[in-house]
Each structure stands twice: as C-alpha cells, then as structure tokens.
Amino acid sequence: EAGVVQSPRYKIIEKKQPVAFWCNPISGHNTLYWYRQNLGQGPELLIRYENEEAVDDSQLPKDRFSAERLKGVDSTLKIQPAELGDSAVYLCASRGHPTRGFTDTQYFGPGTRLTVL
Amino acid sequence: AQKVTQAQTEISVVEKEDVTLDCVYETRDTTYYLFWYKQPPSGELVFLIRRNSFDEQNEISGRYSWNFQKSTSSFNFTITASQVVDSAVYFCALSPYNTDKLIFGTGTRLQVFP
C-alpha cells in the first residue's frame, strides 16, 4: 500500500514569492492534515480536512496561507507571499476511519522542506 | 494545559547499548492517546505505537518497549541493543480525547555510533 505522497521534496524561493505544496493521502483516508515543523520542534497542525471540508483551520495564518482539497482526495497548501519565517518543513498526514477498517492513526508523508531567502 | 515534554534534546550511544527516551505529558482529560513517532533523516514521521489512557500494560515489539505510567504521566520508550539504523529524532505525542489533534513534544535526537 502506498504511503502519503508529497511534492516537491525541497523548495527554495525568495521572499514575497508564492509557493505551493501538494499532497496525495493514503487511498481511502478521508481525513487529511497539514502540519508545519520548524527546526528543532515537533510538528504543529495548520489545517485538518474531513473529505473536502476544512474542519479545523484555526492555526492557519489566513492572511497568506490557503489550502484546498477540492475532490476530497489530493490537497494543495499555498503561501502567498512567502516570508523568511515561513522556512520550515511542511508535512501532510492522513487518517482513515476505523469503521472502514483503518486504524485510528495519522500517517505522515516525507514533507516539503521550504527555504525562503 | 495540554503539553508534552521531552527533556532529552540529544542522546548519543554506542551500538548495542540500551537507551531510554523520556516523555512526560500534561492533560486534564481522563481519556487520551499517546504516540511515539520516529523521524529518520529522510524526514518522514514513522508511526511506532499508539496507546490509550486506559491501557497501562507495557508493550514490547522486538527491540522496542514502552513503559506507560499514569501515576507519573510518563510514556517512556526503550530501545534494547541499539543499532545505527535507530539513529533518528523520536517524537512523543498526545492526542486529547475526541479532538483528533496531535500535540507533539520537541523530540529527542538519538545518535547511535558503530
């Protein structure tokens, strides 16, 4: 079974430029998460989707960050414009529902390492 | 407040040594879940274990074992006979009941030298 797929793995941009990250969750997982992991820290949740609905975006800086999951499968996280402080690893995770035979555990992708110069 | 503390920032051991990674959590919930994840240099967080608050039975999986003690709010992780491939950052996480949130500690970097 394929894991969570993310692309790109690395991205270097100059400040004020836009950037987008893509995530493909594990097949059948209806819950999708975006996390940000700063250097030396644990991941922190940015947004959570149940199918195509964002059910928790309280930690998403909405002035510059946006996300979408139009068909309830793949998701895109965008930053526009990027700032120096946005340099971090952006992790995507997905979880299936136990009633559908999945374990109640979040599985993570490899992340996108963003460097803003 | 809900919080996870991993006081050990970095641990270095020589191969075949046993090593214990500490995790202390804070929560007022009576029902919650605890996790350990491994993050190798490739960056992916690899799920290791999930434990609910009603199950204090210690668990062993190969060279890995976990000691859950509600009395001290600790969920420690021991690697027996460590190997170079165990080198990674290990994160402990707390999921409060019915929230679907993971609250991570700051991680412990384990370096195993040959």
Side-chain angles (χ1 to χ4, degrees), chain B residues 12-29:
Chain B
S12 296
V13 299
V14 177
E15 215 170 13
K16 298 184 182 178
E17 284 186 28
D18 299 346
V19 58
T20 295
L21 309 181
D22 297 333
C23 173
V24 174
Y25 62 92
E26 295 176 32
T27 181
R28 292 182 179 178
D29 294 342

Side-chain angles (χ1 to χ4, degrees), chain A residues 6-86:
Chain A
Q6 291 188 247
S7 69
R9 290 296 313 277
Y10 304 91
K11 189 74 176 177
I12 300 174
I13 61 172
E14 295 191 347
K15 63 181 180 181
K16 301 185 181 179
Q17 295 298 306
V19 64
F21 315 124
W22 175 81
C23 173
N24 178 244
I26 293 173
S27 178
H29 282 194
N30 55 330
T31 307
L32 184 146
Y33 312 78
W34 283 103
Y35 287 84
R36 177 167 59 188
Q37 185 178 17
N38 292 316
L39 188 65
Q41 301 293 316
E44 294 180 327
L45 181 68
L46 291 174
I47 188 168
R48 174 169 68 97
Y49 281 93
E50 291 289 344
N51 300 305
E52 64 275 10
E53 182 183 358
V55 295
D56 183 357
D57 63 356
S58 57
Q59 301 303 311
L60 190 73
K62 298 182 185 61
D63 56 337
R64 298 182 299 106
F65 286 65
S66 64
E68 60 183 16
R69 194 185 184 200
L70 293 176
K71 296 183 179 178
V73 180
D74 295 0
S75 177
T76 302
L77 177 69
K78 297 178 182 178
I79 308 175
Q80 183 172 11
E83 297 179 352
L84 295 177
D86 296 331

